[in-house]
Amino acid sequence: MLQLILDNLRGRDDIKDWILTESRLESAELFFVRDRLDMNRRTSIQECELHVYVDFNEDGTAYTGDAVALIGPDDSPEEIGRKIDRAVFSAGLIRNPAYPLPGPGSAEPIIRQGFDTVGDLEKRFAGLHRLFFGSYAYQARVNSVEIFTKAGTKRTISSKGLDVTEPVSEFMFELVTDTDTGAEPVEIFRIYNLTSQDEEEIRAIVVKQLIETEGRATALPSPLMEHCRVIISGAEVEEFLFYYVSHATDSLVYQKVSRAALNERFVPAGAKQTLNIRMNPALASSPVARAVDDEGKILLPYPLYEDGVVKNFRTHARFSHYLGMPHIGFVSTFEAEGGECSLDDLRKDDYIEILAFSSFLMDTTTGDFGGEFRLARMVRGGEVSYITGGAISENISKAQLTMRFSRELQNQKCSRVPAAIVLEDVAITGKPMS
Amino acid sequence: MKLNTSSYLLGKKELLKELVERLGRDFSYVSVLGTDVTGMTWRVQTSGMTLRPSNDEERGFVVRVFQESGFSEYSFNKLDAQTIGEVVRQVKRTAERDRAVFLNHAETLPYPSAPADEPLERSFVQEVESLPELADPAEVLNRMKAIHDRVKEKHEQLVQLMLMLTYTQVNKIFLSKNRDLYQSYVYTNAACAGVARGEDKVESDYAPASGLCGLELLDRMEELAEKAARQSVELLSAEKVQPGEYDIICDPEFTGLLAHEAFGHGTEMDMFVKDRAKGREYMNRRVGSDMLMMHDGATAAREVSSYLFDDEGNPGSDTLIIDHGILKSGMCDELSSLQLGVAPTGNGKRESYKRKAYTRMTNTFFDEGDDDLEAMIASIEHGYLLEGLSSGMEDPKNWGCQCVAAKGREIRDGRLTGRLISPVYLTGYVPELLESISMISPGLELCGCGYCGKGWKERVKTSTGGSYIKMRGRLS
């Protein structure tokens, strides 16, 4: 398939540039109800995505158009030719002001280590089964698990001379835990994304979720409260910080959605927490870290924010050209520096720590964030209790003035970020207190 | 005229039959689903334009086999006379060797029998006004650009306006020993979104439309663009809601979200198998007000999730979920139906041929009523008219509910005041919310512009809807 595409591209003068990505992926999947194996699955998929760029003039204006063709291994040479022709035709309709597609750069790509997650599933299954369904000292138990492993390669080739092959390795699972020890049966479910089957990490995840599920069994309906110190943790920290990553992106700046400006402060000077974020394409803990972006640019780490000041934008070839700035590439994985306080310090005094949201939402355009929570730990005067069914709804423009990050860090799907963030003066919706 | 069928899938039909026959020698049940999904997305926005394949474009196969020790599947995307032997080998490896290795350390979930595989031979090819694949892409793009420019010029505070039109033609073939099914249908989504900038805030809003049709929705693009632009600018004056309980009216879009999140997910019967849905113990019990009727089904409405057969080869149906406030039935995929001893309802859907099938919603809605919207507004002393949907999340085990509306319009003393709130989170205990429904308007509307996830994954196309309903709920 790849060779057929390259043969078709060779010698074409109607394409200015092209980028071809070939994925060869295998997966193995297991679905459990309690500790019993329901279905098992395998997949074996090859796919190519061809991105073509075409330069043209219309009414004295120069344009660069682009389009995409998806090509599969069952496509005949004629069909591949037709798909490429159609992509070239489509690109010729796209009247975006002209821009160059820069080369990959001279740096060596940082290729991270891959793992045979598919093969490992079979080899390490006995241990995995024990980790999920073994005996734990809790009344909560595992309701069901779905395990997804993926391994293979992603190769990116371009008309600018790029040819990079990266490993793909993912280990994802959905874990549902439940208990009927409270007034009503309760459950918690989450998805976890790892790069490999790290037994200690999986054990810690299972134990933490079992403990939280027991907490939910004892939880009382959340009262209506104002002026609370609220702690958010887990995946919601990544979601929250993604607001800042998103706003330091050339496309949002060009579109005037973001007010970020290079070397200018984005977080207000009076904020309690300094913001330091670094984009890292080689983030070892992330299953989505990539050495090359979708436009064939070899990616290197760069600072995004230093002490709340924007140091770089994540860039695309088109928007960086329009903004007249260097194209450093679009990195998706990031690291945020922790704060000065430990988790224990943040948990001093009264607080409400939201342990499980129904679905935490951060609107990266408006900065509105919040959601209903299924479980929160409420500490008042040293007394600990659990509450459920409350909700928060805030905006980052206010929240960032008083937010503080924990010193401890955690790994998430796209990032390494503080384990927790404290927000002050938050209102919690719930049942009015009698 | 009729859609063109997939020459790719029909060209593979004899090989697929051979695959079923060869695997049938070793397994008591074998089926194969083939998908060939094509389409195109036009996007015009202030910062540029794009023309891309539909997000759902794919081509491939999934084989399912059953043996005494359970079900196994293998997904792949290359099949010809040379590779069919390898596909057979991989299916057997997955079902026999892999499964034996895993069952050395775990017990299997037992099934009482293989799928019934009752004989069924049917085909459906949709009629459309014009074939979307024959539309001139340049003409569509130029028309959208002209609309963009006209609408954008009218709204000074609008920094971005995006117009999107996408059509997706779904072609599927399903074969088993006794079933021979084929379908081709097309759905189209149109959506416009605006971003408005005020002195110290940025707001955005959108206006969607969808249908089981071709590019006819292009005729509605100007109306949608104008609505999205006007609403985005309007939101710059929105305030935060004072958290608390209010009388609320939900517009049809938000009513649909409520039907989907509050009760739709809770009656997906694969959740019954895992004991993850409270709905199971509430069958034939009251879960909402007497006026509440709720349906789901591929044949319950003509929208983006209307089809002849699901991804497990079962015919689509119209399931009455709630009848006058009483929970009557759930929706069911093939495997759950075997576990629960009920008939499948044609709700077995996959994100793609690469993924497992689960019980999923199709077109889900509350029936219309006969109460007047003006009378609803007039009946409220202090409350909000909630419009548009932002997102939602289910909690079938505990019947919690999170539905986020794009905005709320304040009602005081029976009149709209012009004051806006945004964003608006509606939360609460589902039976309490549904029991509080006191008025339902005529005018059922469905929309299928978005996707539905199962938890945080497995995105599939669904439509949701209803009419205006009055209820009481907790807002924040």
Side-chain angles (χ1 to χ4, degrees):
Chain A
M1 170 174 57
L2 187 79
Q3 197 53 49
L4 284 173
I5 299 168
L6 292 173
D7 288 347
N8 189 292
L9 291 170
R10 195 166 295 125
R12 286 189 77 131
D13 58 7
D14 53 355
I15 300 175
K16 181 189 159 213
D17 280 305
W18 52 264
I19 297 160
L20 178 60
T21 308
E22 182 203 42
S23 305
R24 289 171 172 265
L25 298 172
E26 306 275 329
S27 81
E29 303 161 12
L30 299 175
F31 301 84
F32 291 90
V33 178
R34 294 294 176 197
D35 60 348
R36 295 192 164 197
L37 178 62
D38 189 2
M39 182 179 279
N40 69 308
R41 304 185 79 252
R42 264 186 191 271
T43 72
S44 178
I45 313 287
Q46 281 182 52
E47 288 170 320
C48 279
E49 182 176 309
L50 175 67
H51 203 144
V52 298
Y53 296 81
V54 169
D55 275 358
F56 60 99
N57 275 277
E58 213 173 270
D59 301 327
T61 305
Y63 296 105
T64 300
D66 66 307
V68 169
L70 305 177
I71 298 167
D74 253 357
D75 291 349
S76 65
E78 296 73 33
E79 202 163 6
I80 289 172
R82 275 199 302 275
K83 284 185 174 181
I84 296 174
D85 287 346
R86 195 172 62 192
V88 172
F89 172 75
S90 297
L93 304 174
I94 301 301
R95 297 189 302 275
N96 291 326
Y99 60 94
L101 188 71
S106 56
E108 276 296 308
I110 311 170
I111 309 291
R112 65 195 177 89
Q113 185 188 359
F115 299 92
D116 181 17
T117 48
V118 173
D120 281 354
L121 181 63
E122 186 181 304
K123 287 179 207 149
R124 302 167 71 174
F125 176 69
L128 267 181
H129 192 266
R130 272 197 304 276
L131 283 175
F132 286 119
F133 303 109
S135 180
Y136 290 94
Y138 306 102
Q139 289 179 302
R141 58 184 183 158
V142 172
N143 169 286
S144 49
V145 178
E146 296 186 356
I147 300 172
F148 300 82
T149 63
K150 192 189 283 184
T153 57
K154 190 166 265 194
R155 181 179 177 191
T156 311
I157 312 170
S158 82
S159 56
K160 298 282 190 187
L162 178 80
D163 188 349
V164 171
T165 300
E166 297 180 70
V168 172
S169 49
E170 294 177 25
F171 179 75
M172 180 184 103
F173 59 94
E174 181 189 75
L175 176 65
V176 183
T177 48
D178 63 12
T179 180
D180 54 7
T181 54
E184 289 213 34
V186 294
E187 73 164 31
I188 290 180
F189 72 96
R190 288 202 187 96
I191 282 184
Y192 300 92
N193 294 278
L194 313 178
T195 53
S196 65
Q197 290 148 40
D198 182 323
E199 293 197 3
E200 279 317 301
E201 194 168 359
I202 295 169
R203 185 189 306 280
I205 285 168
V206 175
V207 167
K208 182 167 182 281
Q209 193 168 314
L210 289 171
I211 292 170
E212 289 177 359
T213 308
E214 293 203 349
R216 191 175 183 192
T218 66
L220 297 169
S222 170
L224 181 66
M225 295 176 281
E226 293 193 338
H227 312 299
C228 299
R229 269 181 82 229
V230 166
I231 299 176
I232 61 171
S233 54
E236 285 76 22
V237 173
E238 177 182 273
E239 182 90 14
F240 182 91
L241 291 174
F242 189 69
Y243 171 85
Y244 294 104
V245 173
S246 168
H247 275 253
T249 303
D250 59 358
S251 52
L252 262 68
V253 173
Y254 179 75
Q255 290 165 359
K256 300 188 175 71
V257 174
S258 171
R259 59 174 180 78
L262 283 181
N263 297 314
E264 287 189 15
R265 178 163 287 284
F266 190 78
V267 180
K272 286 183 180 174
Q273 176 66 53
T274 57
L275 182 73
N276 290 294
I277 294 179
R278 176 176 176 265
M279 304 311 296
N280 183 1
L283 190 63
S285 56
S286 168
V288 297
R290 287 199 61 194
V292 178
D293 71 9
D294 289 344
E295 294 178 314
K297 179 82 180 167
I298 290 174
L299 298 170
L300 296 173
Y302 52 81
L304 203 65
Y305 292 91
E306 284 179 358
D307 295 331
V309 172
V310 182
K311 301 310 289 182
N312 283 294
F313 292 149
R314 300 190 301 164
T315 63
H316 303 80
R318 176 155 78 97
F319 294 108
S320 60
H321 178 74
Y322 294 167
L323 291 170
M325 60 176 42
H327 177 38
I328 57 173
F330 190 86
V331 181
S332 300
T333 41
F334 66 99
E335 294 170 289
E337 195 176 277
E340 291 177 357
C341 297
S342 69
L343 273 169
D344 286 343
D345 289 338
L346 294 179
R347 288 180 180 136
K348 281 181 182 157
D349 303 325
D350 292 351
Y351 69 89
I352 288 162
E353 182 168 1
I354 300 177
L355 301 170
F357 278 95
S358 293
S359 173
F360 179 79
L361 301 168
M362 164 58 85
D363 184 328
T364 53
T365 300
T366 63
D368 293 327
F369 68 90
E372 185 214 26
F373 57 81
R374 295 181 179 175
L375 179 66
R377 184 189 297 118
M378 182 163 74
V379 176
R380 284 191 164 171
E383 253 184 57
V384 180
S385 59
Y386 289 96
I387 55 175
T388 185
I392 65 168
S393 173
E394 296 288 323
N395 187 280
I396 203 159
S397 59
K398 172 195 151 198
Q400 66 185 355
L401 297 174
T402 58
M403 69 181 180
R404 278 182 301 152
F405 301 162
S406 70
R407 185 190 305 146
E408 295 87 343
L409 301 176
Q410 59 166 336
N411 295 330
Q412 287 297 332
K413 184 178 180 182
C414 305
S415 65
R416 183 161 172 77
V417 291
I421 296 179
V422 173
L423 306 168
E424 305 282 351
D425 194 23
V426 175
I428 292 182
T429 311
K431 286 191 180 285
M433 281 195 273
S434 53
Chain B
M1 66 183 71
K2 278 191 184 299
L3 291 174
N4 287 319
T5 52
S6 164
S7 55
Y8 172 76
L9 289 179
L10 295 175
K12 299 286 183 191
K13 188 169 177 180
E14 289 309 311
L15 276 173
L16 294 171
K17 280 183 175 174
E18 183 187 335
L19 188 59
V20 171
E21 191 275 323
R22 285 172 68 170
L23 288 166
R25 297 172 202 161
D26 296 297
F27 300 101
S28 59
Y29 173 83
V30 181
S31 69
V32 59
L33 173 77
T35 71
D36 182 16
V37 181
T38 59
M40 192 174 278
T41 300
W42 289 261
R43 189 187 295 263
V44 171
Q45 61 189 106
T46 311
S47 58
M49 53 175 68
T50 60
L51 189 49
R52 294 277 191 272
S54 160
N55 271 342
D56 298 325
E57 188 160 315
E58 66 164 18
R59 181 183 272 189
F61 306 93
V62 53
V63 173
R64 172 183 286 181
V65 296
F66 177 77
Q67 56 193 329
E68 205 173 309
S69 68
F71 284 94
S72 302
E73 288 187 346
Y74 176 65
S75 301
F76 57 101
N77 66 344
K78 179 154 183 66
L79 180 69
D80 55 30
Q82 286 72 48
T83 56
I84 188 168
E86 174 62 12
V87 172
V88 169
R89 200 181 71 78
Q90 289 293 341
V91 173
K92 291 176 77 167
R93 175 193 180 193
T94 307
E96 292 174 347
R97 188 193 154 280
D98 287 3
R99 203 158 172 89
V101 169
F102 297 131
L103 290 178
N104 273 336
H105 307 283
E107 285 184 50
T108 188
L109 182 72
Y111 280 82
S113 67
D117 199 27
E118 300 285 351
L120 190 63
E121 193 171 328
R122 288 174 73 181
S123 171
F124 169 71
V125 180
Q126 188 190 332
E127 294 268 356
V128 288
E129 283 181 21
S130 60
L131 295 176
E133 72 212 52
L134 295 185
D136 178 354
E139 195 181 313
V140 174
L141 207 55
N142 290 339
R143 206 168 142 193
M144 289 171 65
K145 178 78 169 79
I147 293 169
H148 169 276
D149 293 350
R150 275 199 299 276
V151 174
K152 172 80 173 56
E153 195 181 11
K154 281 194 252 174
H155 300 274
E156 200 182 323
Q157 288 171 295
L158 205 62
V159 292
Q160 279 293 312
L161 177 63
M162 186 280 293
L163 285 66
M164 188 274 293
L165 180 73
T166 184
Y167 83 85
T168 304
Q169 179 168 337
V170 178
N171 306 295
K172 290 186 178 176
I173 190 169
F174 181 90
L175 297 171
S176 63
K177 188 178 172 190
N178 296 317
R179 295 204 169 184
D180 183 341
L181 306 168
Y182 178 86
Q183 61 187 350
S184 288
Y185 61 91
V186 64
Y187 57 80
T188 298
N189 287 170
C192 296
V195 180
R197 215 185 160 91
E199 265 184 35
D200 56 355
K201 69 193 291 202
V202 177
E203 290 290 350
S204 69
D205 205 349
Y206 77 106
S210 66
L212 196 70
C213 59
L215 297 181
E216 297 91 297
L217 290 181
L218 187 55
D219 295 336
R220 292 189 56 195
M221 195 60 89
E222 185 136 11
E223 161 212 331
L224 296 173
E226 181 57 42
K227 188 176 173 189
R230 194 179 59 244
Q231 288 178 166
S232 305
V233 173
E234 193 181 18
L235 276 178
L236 290 172
S237 66
E239 300 164 28
K240 271 192 73 169
V241 64
Q242 178 64 37
E245 277 199 9
Y246 296 95
D247 284 330
I248 53 177
I249 299 169
C250 307
D251 78 348
E253 209 179 331
F254 194 70
T255 297
L257 178 67
L258 197 62
H260 181 100
E261 300 295 353
F263 237 89
H265 281 292
T267 50
E268 291 170 335
M269 292 176 81
D270 55 352
M271 305 298 260
F272 289 16
V273 174
K274 294 177 179 174
D275 197 20
R276 290 191 58 199
K278 197 193 276 280
R280 187 175 189 180
E281 66 199 71
Y282 270 76
M283 278 297 163
N284 296 310
R285 289 169 62 182
R286 180 162 293 283
V287 293
S289 88
D290 192 54
M291 60 178 59
L292 193 66
M293 307 282 285
M294 178 176 155
H295 289 255
D296 174 274
T299 64
R302 190 182 153 81
E303 250 294 339
V304 298
S305 194
S306 300
Y307 45 71
L308 173 67
F309 60 90
D310 69 3
D311 293 337
E312 299 176 300
N314 287 311
S317 64
D318 177 0
T319 307
L320 180 62
I321 306 282
I322 299 174
D323 183 8
H324 293 285
I326 308 295
L327 180 57
K328 297 305 287 187
S329 179
M331 52 198 103
C332 204
D333 67 287
E334 177 80 55
L335 271 61
S336 303
S337 77
L338 291 169
Q339 288 289 339
L340 299 167
V342 299
T345 56
N347 287 74
K349 293 169 62 173
R350 301 174 189 272
E351 179 178 288
S352 89
Y353 74 90
K354 301 170 191 170
R355 308 288 290 192
K356 180 181 179 287
Y358 297 79
T359 302
R360 305 306 300 270
M361 278 175 269
T362 53
N363 309 300
T364 313
F365 56 91
F366 289 144
D367 274 357
E368 59 190 319
D370 52 16
D371 294 301
D372 184 53
L373 174 60
E374 297 304 318
M376 286 187 196
I377 295 171
S379 70
I380 291 177
E381 192 180 315
H382 183 210
Y384 293 94
L385 168 59
L386 306 185
E387 292 180 347
L389 65 87
S390 212
S391 71
M393 180 51 84
E394 75 273 19
D395 185 12
K397 179 82 171 180
N398 301 105
W399 276 353
C401 175
Q402 170 177 310
C403 292
V404 188
K407 58 193 164 295
R409 297 185 187 278
E410 188 188 50
I411 302 168
R412 271 199 189 271
D413 303 324
R415 287 167 185 270
L416 290 165
T417 64
R419 188 175 160 252
L420 276 180
I421 54 168
S422 176
V424 192
Y425 290 79
L426 170 66
T427 55
Y429 185 58
V430 169
E432 282 178 13
L433 283 170
L434 300 188
E435 184 64 41
S436 76
I437 294 174
S438 55
M439 297 172 94
I440 304 178
S441 81
L444 172 63
E445 292 176 31
L446 280 100
C447 187
C449 250
Y451 289 83
C452 161
K454 188 111 173 157
W456 284 283
K457 58 186 183 65
E458 315 297 343
R459 287 165 19 112
V460 296
K461 208 71 185 145
T462 57
S463 77
T464 60
S467 55
Y468 287 93
I469 59 174
K470 182 191 167 191
M471 61 195 294
R472 192 157 176 85
R474 193 187 307 154
L475 303 183
S476 62

